[in-house]
Amino acid sequence: MGLEGLSINLATVRQQFDLAQAVEACRRLGISAVAPWRDQVAKAGLAEAARIVRGNGMRVTDLCRGGMFPAADAQGRQAAIDDNKRAIDEAAALGADCLVLVCGGLPAGSRDIAAARAMVRDGIAAILPHARSAGMPLAIEPLHPMYTADRACVNTLEQALDLCDALGEGVGVAIDTYHCWWDPKLDAQIARAGKRILAHHICDWLVPTRHLLLDRGMMGDGVVDFRPIRRAIEAAGYTGPQAVEILSEEWWKRPGEEVLRICVERYNALCRVDGGSN
Amino acid sequence: MGLEGLSINLATVRQQFDLAQAVEACRRLGISAVAPWRDQVAKAGLAEAARIVRGNGMRVTDLCRGGMFPAADAQGRQAAIDDNKRAIDEAAALGADCLVLVCGGLPAGSRDIAAARAMVRDGIAAILPHARSAGMPLAIEPLHPMYTADRACVNTLEQALDLCDALGEGVGVAIDTYHCWWDPKLDAQIARAGKRILAHHICDWLVPTRHLLLDRGMMGDGVVDFRPIRRAIEAAGYTGPQAVEILSEEWWKRPGEEVLRICVERYNALCRVDGGSN
C-alpha cells in the first residue's frame, strides 16, 4: 500500500529539520505530502520553499497558519487582516490545498468572548475576497476549548460550520483529532460539514496530559480512536491525506527520521481505513 | 449586603482546614453556605459533619461528589452504583440541596468514548430511583473537555441537558464557570436548562494555565466574565448561592482565612448581580 493518504505537518519535526531536510526525509520514506508552517517557509524563502516542495513531488495539504484576528484596537485587527492576505499569497505560491486558520483568542486584557468571536467572523470576511480571487480555500480549525482564551475562540466543529454558513463560499474546516475527539456532536457535525472538510489532522490525546500546548501524543499512545473518525470524514466526502501534527517536547527530542518512521508505522497500523491492516 | 448568595466549596481550602475549621472560618466571615467533599465528610464522620454544618447554621449547597460510573467490567460499574447510593444517603443526611455528579471518563485501556457515555447514562438511571426516594436531586456537572478522558465524558451543558431529558425527573445540572465559560452555546443552554439548574460554581480560567487540574483561578485573576453568566442563570430560574470552587496549588499555600476573605471580596466585586457593586 502506498502512502499517498499520509501528510506530515512539519511542526512535528520542527526542532530536528529545516524545510528542505524535512521534505527530503519525508520523500525518502515514501511520504508524498507535507504541511509546512509559515515560519519554516519564511526561513527557506518563499520561492525556494516552493521549489523544494515541487522538486520533491510533494503535495502541500495545508499551510499553517493564518488567523489570529482579534486585537485590542482597529490597527491591530487591520494588521492581522494584512498578514492573512500575505498568508493566502504564500499558500497559493506553494500550491497548498488550503490555508489553515487558527482564529485567535481574547485580545490582551479582554474578557469579552462574544466580541472576540465577532472579530474572528469579521476578520475572515475581510480576507475572503482575496482568498477567493487567489483560489485559496480557507480552513477554519476549531481548537480544543483549553485554547479559547489564548489561541482560538472557535472551539467546536459546530461553531466552525456555523461560521462557514455565515461566510459562504471559499471557507471550510480543518478537523484535528486532538482538538475534536472529545466532542459528543463530532459525528453529526462531520456529516454536516460534507465537502467543506478541507484538511484532516491526526494527533493523540495523552493521559495524563502534562502541558497544555506541548504534550500532544503520537497516534496509539493516547485515547483517540482514529479509524471511526476517519471513516466518518471519508463518508462526508473528504478523501485527502491525514496530516500528522504533533507538538511535543518529547518527540522533538528524538531523531527526525525516527519520528517520521514511527508516524508511517502508526498511520498504517491505526489510522488508514483503505487497507489490509483495517 | 449579606452574603447569603455565596457558598464555599471546601476543596478551596482543603489543604488548610478540616471540615469543622472550614465551616467555622466561613461562619466568622458571615458566609452561610458551604459545599463539602465526601472525603472531608468521611474524615469528620457523617453524623458529626451534619452536626457541624447545622450547628453553624450552614446551608449545604451541594455535596461533591458522586459519579465516576464507567468501569472496565460489570463488577466495577456495580461498585460505582453502590457507592453513588451511599453518596445520595450522605447528601440527604447533610441536608444538601443536591449531589454533584462528576460522571467519569474512559475506563482504563478503553478508547470507546460512546461506550463510556452510555455507561454514564445507565449508571445515573440505576441510582435515580434511590435519589428520588431520598428526595435528593442529582446535579450532572459537565466538565471542561480537557477532562473527557480521565474525569468526565460529559463536557458541555447541552450534552448534560440531553442526558437530563433522557433520564427525567430528579436530575439537573451544576454549572461551573471554569468548565463552561468557553462554550459558544452557553447562554442558549442556560436558558434551556431553566429550573434544572441545581448549582452554580464559580472559578476563573488563568492565562496561561500551567496545570490541567490544579491551576484554577480566583475570580478576577483570569478571563471569565462572571456577571453575564450569573444574570443568565438567574434569568433561567436559579437564584441559589454561587459556590467558589478553586483547585489550586497556589491558593492552597496561603492561609485559609485569607483565601476565604479574598473569596468574599471577589464575589462582592465581580460576581454578585444583586447589589450596589453591580
Side-chain angles (χ1 to χ4, degrees):
Chain A
M1 294 186 297
L3 292 175
E4 57 285 343
L6 175 63
S7 175
I8 302 293
N9 184 299
L10 298 186
T12 306
V13 287
R14 71 154 55 251
Q15 302 292 337
Q16 298 95 329
F17 291 142
D18 67 18
L19 182 71
Q21 291 166 336
V23 167
E24 284 156 20
C26 285
R27 183 179 45 75
R28 284 195 296 274
L29 286 165
I31 298 164
S32 56
V34 294
W37 281 57
R38 286 182 75 199
D39 66 297
Q40 296 172 313
V41 170
K43 202 171 158 205
L46 180 59
E48 173 65 8
R51 200 199 59 74
I52 290 167
V53 295
R54 285 192 186 125
N56 285 280
M58 287 284 158
R59 175 176 180 173
V60 177
T61 45
D62 48 295
L63 177 65
C64 292
R65 53 183 167 65
M68 298 293 166
F69 295 103
D73 56 28
Q75 193 178 352
R77 293 191 288 279
Q78 185 59 48
I81 288 166
D82 295 342
D83 187 56
N84 273 276
K85 288 181 182 171
R86 287 190 292 273
I88 290 166
D89 296 339
E90 292 163 23
L94 293 167
D97 294 348
C98 63
L99 173 67
V100 166
L101 301 181
V102 172
C103 291
L106 291 164
S110 170
R111 292 186 175 90
D112 190 342
I113 187 70
R117 285 169 170 157
M119 290 176 196
V120 167
R121 182 200 60 215
D122 294 348
I124 300 176
I127 65 169
L128 191 50
H130 190 79
R132 285 174 181 153
S133 68
M136 182 50 57
L138 302 175
I140 299 171
E141 183 171 17
L143 253 57
H144 194 283
M146 68 185 176
Y147 301 122
T148 302
D150 50 359
R151 281 190 174 72
C153 58
V154 179
N155 304 105
T156 64
L157 186 51
E158 181 175 32
Q159 184 192 4
L161 290 168
D162 288 349
L163 260 176
C164 291
D165 286 347
L167 290 162
E169 193 66 30
V171 188
V173 295
I175 301 174
D176 188 319
T177 57
Y178 187 78
H179 297 302
C180 297
W181 77 276
W182 62 272
D183 186 348
K185 302 181 85 172
L186 184 58
D187 284 351
Q189 294 299 319
I190 287 173
R192 174 189 169 199
K195 291 287 184 187
R196 292 177 295 187
I197 301 172
L198 302 175
H200 176 197
H201 297 175
I202 52 175
C203 176
D204 213 338
W205 179 276
L206 300 178
V207 179
T209 291
R210 291 159 300 177
H211 187 277
L212 270 75
L213 185 60
L214 302 179
D215 194 28
R216 302 188 188 179
M218 178 65 69
M219 299 81 72
D221 292 347
V223 298
V224 174
D225 194 7
F226 290 93
R227 281 211 183 89
I229 298 174
R230 178 64 185 182
R231 284 193 197 98
I233 286 174
E234 293 198 3
Y238 180 78
T239 56
Q242 305 182 52
V244 181
E245 183 181 29
I246 302 171
L247 310 181
S248 163
E249 297 279 14
E250 294 305 312
W251 287 97
W252 285 336
K253 288 180 194 156
R254 297 171 70 163
E257 293 271 5
E258 178 189 325
V259 173
L260 293 174
R261 223 170 28 241
I262 295 171
C263 287
V264 170
E265 289 170 12
R266 301 292 179 89
Y267 163 74
N268 279 328
L270 301 168
C271 305
R272 66 190 300 166
V273 297
D274 59 345
S277 63
N278 181 21
Chain B
M1 293 185 297
L3 291 175
E4 58 284 343
L6 175 64
S7 175
I8 302 292
N9 184 300
L10 298 186
T12 306
V13 287
R14 70 152 57 249
Q15 302 292 336
Q16 297 95 329
F17 291 142
D18 67 17
L19 183 72
Q21 292 167 334
V23 167
E24 284 156 20
C26 285
R27 184 179 45 75
R28 285 194 297 274
L29 287 166
I31 297 163
S32 57
V34 294
W37 281 57
R38 287 181 75 198
D39 65 296
Q40 296 173 312
V41 170
K43 202 171 158 204
L46 180 59
E48 173 64 8
R51 201 199 58 73
I52 290 168
V53 295
R54 286 191 186 126
N56 285 279
M58 289 285 158
R59 174 175 180 173
V60 177
T61 46
D62 47 296
L63 177 65
C64 292
R65 54 183 167 65
M68 298 292 167
F69 296 103
D73 57 27
Q75 193 179 349
R77 292 190 288 277
Q78 186 59 48
I81 289 165
D82 295 341
D83 187 57
N84 273 277
K85 289 180 181 171
R86 287 190 292 274
I88 290 165
D89 296 339
E90 292 164 23
L94 293 167
D97 294 348
C98 62
L99 173 67
V100 166
L101 301 181
V102 172
C103 291
L106 290 164
S110 170
R111 293 186 174 90
D112 191 341
I113 187 70
R117 285 168 171 156
M119 290 176 195
V120 168
R121 181 199 61 215
D122 294 347
I124 301 175
I127 65 170
L128 191 49
H130 190 79
R132 285 173 180 153
S133 69
M136 182 49 57
L138 302 175
I140 300 170
E141 183 172 16
L143 254 55
H144 193 284
M146 69 186 175
Y147 302 122
T148 302
D150 49 358
R151 280 188 174 72
C153 58
V154 179
N155 304 104
T156 63
L157 186 50
E158 181 175 30
Q159 184 191 4
L161 290 169
D162 288 348
L163 260 176
C164 291
D165 286 347
L167 291 162
E169 193 66 31
V171 187
V173 294
I175 300 175
D176 187 318
T177 58
Y178 187 79
H179 297 302
C180 296
W181 76 277
W182 62 272
D183 187 347
K185 302 182 85 171
L186 184 58
D187 284 351
Q189 295 299 319
I190 288 173
R192 174 189 169 198
K195 291 287 185 186
R196 292 177 293 186
I197 301 172
L198 301 175
H200 175 196
H201 297 175
I202 52 176
C203 176
D204 214 338
W205 179 276
L206 300 179
V207 179
T209 291
R210 291 160 301 178
H211 188 278
L212 271 75
L213 187 59
L214 302 179
D215 194 28
R216 301 188 191 181
M218 178 66 68
M219 299 81 72
D221 292 347
V223 298
V224 174
D225 193 7
F226 291 93
R227 281 210 184 89
I229 298 174
R230 179 63 186 183
R231 283 194 198 98
I233 286 174
E234 293 196 4
Y238 180 78
T239 55
Q242 304 182 52
V244 181
E245 184 181 28
I246 302 172
L247 310 182
S248 163
E249 297 280 11
E250 295 305 314
W251 287 96
W252 284 337
K253 287 179 193 156
R254 297 171 69 162
E257 294 270 5
E258 178 188 326
V259 173
L260 293 174
R261 224 172 24 244
I262 295 172
C263 288
V264 171
E265 289 169 11
R266 301 292 179 89
Y267 163 74
N268 279 328
L270 300 169
C271 305
R272 67 190 299 167
V273 297
D274 59 344
S277 63
N278 181 19

